């Protein structure tokens, strides 16, 4: 498959995540972010695990747990925490530094030399997202800002480590996705029970919403995301992230009767332009690290759906 096709398929993941806000507010029980995170991750992971029929071996038990914690188990709760403690859209603005974090980590862990273009593109993407989602609101909360930044750093680190470690020989992206979602869901489950108590009663709308989030929004979307990480550079993948808040804004306008101001439209144009620019101009890596002492399988190279941060 050629690179443009891989980019388009990978882009479907953040586009899907951009629908999460509308689904959550219209179909799901309120004030259950941890339960929702668990219901997204764990059922999706178990379904993919049943399809892949492959369990981790050796050091990959530890690696899968680390990746699941970074990409899912820590990312979801921190993202939700930031949303509840920050003014509208601010969590997305803080989280939009993710591409810049990936650029820095890629230089250290992947030998992928940063360019002035990639740094400038990251700044433009963050500025464009801020124009789309940022609303004038009260004072910032230090815990919320720290949670938003840490959530972006967690997902960014997970993205780069997923690229660095590759996959075990003979294991496809479906199994790797299943391991991470299952591990992340298992980490969130006890936290949800401790903080939010027993699961809420679910009606038909909530069941349908959770099925959509678990299957299309998480199982399929994260499979496409991790598949893309295996075929593209980590920088190219992370620059697709702004498509999530852009999709959320479009869905809000089309389905929730929200308005789009000229400033928001300008921000969408900037963020989309940065997304496109982020798919080119990446210098080749100095080295190509492999997982498991060089025996890991690696394919040939080719945070935030806000105003509410339910990605």
């Amino acid at each position: 498959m050629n690179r443009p096709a891989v980019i388009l398929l990978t882009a479907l993941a953040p586009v899907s995540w951009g629908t999460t806000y509308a689904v959550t507010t219209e179909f799901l029980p309120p004030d259950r972010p941890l339960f929702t995170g668990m219901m997204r991750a764990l059922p999706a992971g178990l379904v993919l695990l049943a399809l892949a029929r492959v369990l981790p071996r050796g050091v990959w038990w530890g690696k899968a747990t680390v990746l699941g914690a970074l990409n899912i188990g820590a990312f979801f709760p921190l993202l939700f925490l930031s949303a509840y403690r920050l003014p509208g859209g601010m969590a997305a603005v803080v989280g939009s530094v993710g591409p810049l974090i990936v650029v820095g980590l890629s230089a250290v862990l992947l030998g992928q030399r940063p360019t002035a273009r990639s740094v400038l593109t990251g700044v433009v993407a963050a500025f464009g997202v801020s124009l789309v989602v940022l609303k004038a609101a009260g004072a910032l909360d230090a815990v919320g800002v720290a949670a938003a930044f840490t959530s972006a750093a967690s997902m960014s680190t997970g993205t780069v480590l997923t690229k660095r470690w590759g996959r075990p020989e003979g294991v496809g992206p479906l199994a790797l996705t299943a391991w991470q979602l299952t591990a992340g869901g298992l980490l969130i489950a006890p936290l949800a029970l401790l903080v939010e108590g027993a699961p809420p009663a679910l009606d038909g709308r909530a069941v349908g919403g959770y099925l959509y989030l678990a299957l299309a929004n998480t199982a399929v979307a994260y499979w496409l995301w991790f598949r893309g990480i295996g075929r593209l550079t980590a920088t190219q993948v992370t620059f697709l992230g702004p498509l999530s808040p852009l999709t959320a804004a479009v869905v809000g306008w089309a389905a929730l009767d929200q308005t789009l101001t000229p400033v928001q439209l300008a921000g969408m144009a900037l963020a989309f332009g940065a997304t496109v620019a982020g798919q080119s101009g990446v210098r080749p890596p100095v080295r190509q690290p492999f997982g498991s002492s060089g025996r890991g399988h690696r394919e040939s190279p080719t945070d935030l759906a806000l105003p509410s941060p339910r990605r």
Side-chain angles (χ1 to χ4, degrees):
M1 185 179 293
N2 58 36
R3 193 180 74 166
V6 174
I7 292 173
L8 288 175
L9 284 175
T10 307
L12 291 177
V15 168
S16 173
W17 296 331
T19 66
T20 309
Y21 169 69
V23 172
T24 301
T25 56
E26 296 300 311
F27 291 90
L28 304 185
D31 302 323
R32 290 297 186 116
L34 293 175
F35 178 75
T36 296
M38 185 270 293
M39 288 294 289
R40 288 183 64 191
L42 189 54
L46 294 175
V47 168
L48 294 186
L49 198 61
L51 293 174
R53 298 184 179 182
V54 178
L55 292 175
R57 295 181 180 178
V59 297
W60 270 97
W61 282 103
K63 289 183 176 182
T65 301
V66 170
L67 294 177
L70 290 171
N71 289 319
I72 307 295
F75 175 69
F76 279 0
L78 288 168
L79 188 66
F80 291 137
L81 175 62
S82 68
Y84 281 100
R85 298 186 69 105
L86 292 178
M90 179 57 68
V93 176
V94 178
S96 64
V97 302
L100 295 174
I101 297 174
V102 168
V103 169
L105 289 176
S106 295
V108 176
L109 297 178
L110 304 178
Q112 211 171 70
R113 292 170 292 177
T115 64
R117 175 177 178 172
S118 64
V119 174
L120 179 61
T121 301
V123 172
V124 171
F127 179 67
V129 169
S130 71
L131 294 181
V132 175
V133 303
L134 193 58
K135 298 178 177 63
L140 297 183
D141 178 87
V143 174
V145 172
F149 180 82
T150 307
S151 70
S154 179
M155 184 70 167
S156 299
T157 304
T159 297
V160 175
L161 284 180
T162 300
K163 184 66 177 179
R164 176 180 174 86
W165 287 342
R167 303 193 305 268
E169 190 67 38
V171 172
L174 187 70
L176 184 64
T177 305
W179 299 347
Q180 295 188 53
L181 289 173
T182 302
L186 289 174
L187 290 171
I188 297 173
L191 182 63
L193 184 62
L194 179 65
V195 175
E196 298 177 350
L202 303 179
D203 58 17
R205 288 174 60 85
V207 170
Y210 280 125
L211 283 175
Y212 168 78
L213 290 183
L215 299 178
N217 187 266
T218 303
V220 174
Y222 272 95
W223 170 68
L224 290 171
W225 185 255
F226 293 130
R227 179 178 177 272
I229 291 174
R231 300 188 177 196
L232 303 169
T233 68
T235 303
Q236 286 175 312
V237 172
T238 196
F239 271 115
L240 295 173
L243 293 176
S244 182
L246 298 188
T247 302
V250 172
V251 171
W253 167 76
L256 303 179
D257 295 326
Q258 296 174 355
T259 59
L260 289 175
T261 66
V263 171
Q264 286 178 301
L265 293 174
M268 293 174 71
L270 283 174
F272 184 76
T275 296
V276 174
Q279 304 311 306
S280 60
V282 180
R283 292 180 182 175
V286 175
R287 54 186 172 85
Q288 289 288 351
F290 284 71
S292 302
S293 301
R295 292 188 297 271
H297 173 73
R298 185 177 298 275
E299 297 180 359
S300 59
T302 343
D303 117 198
L304 292 167
L306 293 174
S308 172
R310 295 178 171 89
R311 171 176 178 174

